[in-house]
Amino acid sequence: MVVTKKVFVFDDNRDILDLCTFILEDAGYEIKTSENANNIEEQVAAYMPDLIFMDNWLPDLGGIQATKALKNHPDLKHIPVIYFSANNDISSLADEAGADSYLSKPFDIAALEEIVKKHLS
């Protein structure tokens, strides 16, 4: 039996969440989305994804703080976090957050699928 890999996408833009859901479900992944990072540890622990996409601009707790919270949590720090943003300085933001990788917006479908494969294979 094939175990479906789970991806959790955090983004305050509903269109981005819908697009990621469409692309990744089509590629065979199970997807959960959230428009905020409130109680980030609880949200992630309840789903236990294999990979997380984290937007930089999230209401209340921003992407950097949310990523740091996950990376400081003993049960969640092993989950790869892909930082994604339209910010020009995304690589330094991803470094500051402690993310495992990053993806610039706007992204193309191939780039999204490629980074997911890289972290889930």
Side-chain angles (χ1 to χ4, degrees):
M1 183 181 122
V2 175
V3 176
T4 304
K5 297 282 189 173
K6 300 194 297 190
V7 180
F8 204 150
V9 183
F10 289 90
D11 200 305
D12 63 339
N13 182 328
R14 188 77 243 167
D15 293 338
I16 296 277
L17 293 176
D18 291 345
L19 179 66
C20 288
T21 299
F22 178 77
I23 294 167
L24 295 173
E25 280 183 346
D26 193 54
Y29 301 103
E30 186 181 312
I31 310 301
K32 183 171 175 62
T33 63
S34 179
E35 292 181 43
N36 66 67
N38 301 342
N39 305 315
I40 185 81
E41 296 97 338
E42 288 84 359
Q43 285 195 65
V44 172
Y47 187 60
M48 286 311 282
D50 299 290
L51 183 65
I52 296 168
F53 278 89
M54 185 69 69
D55 182 30
N56 186 50
W57 300 108
L58 287 166
D60 303 322
L61 187 67
I64 288 176
Q65 292 308 319
T67 302
K68 284 182 173 175
L70 294 175
K71 291 300 181 183
N72 288 324
H73 193 289
D75 298 331
L76 306 175
K77 64 184 179 188
H78 68 282
I79 303 169
V81 175
I82 310 296
Y83 211 72
F84 75 148
S85 172
N87 192 298
N88 293 338
D89 209 13
I90 185 169
S91 64
S92 65
L93 289 172
D95 282 348
E96 185 184 339
D100 297 87
S101 190
Y102 63 88
L103 179 64
S104 297
K105 292 181 195 171
F107 52 84
D108 63 33
I109 293 171
L112 178 69
E113 291 177 334
E114 191 60 39
I115 202 162
V116 170
K117 275 192 197 118
K118 186 177 125 187
H119 286 277
L120 293 183
S121 54

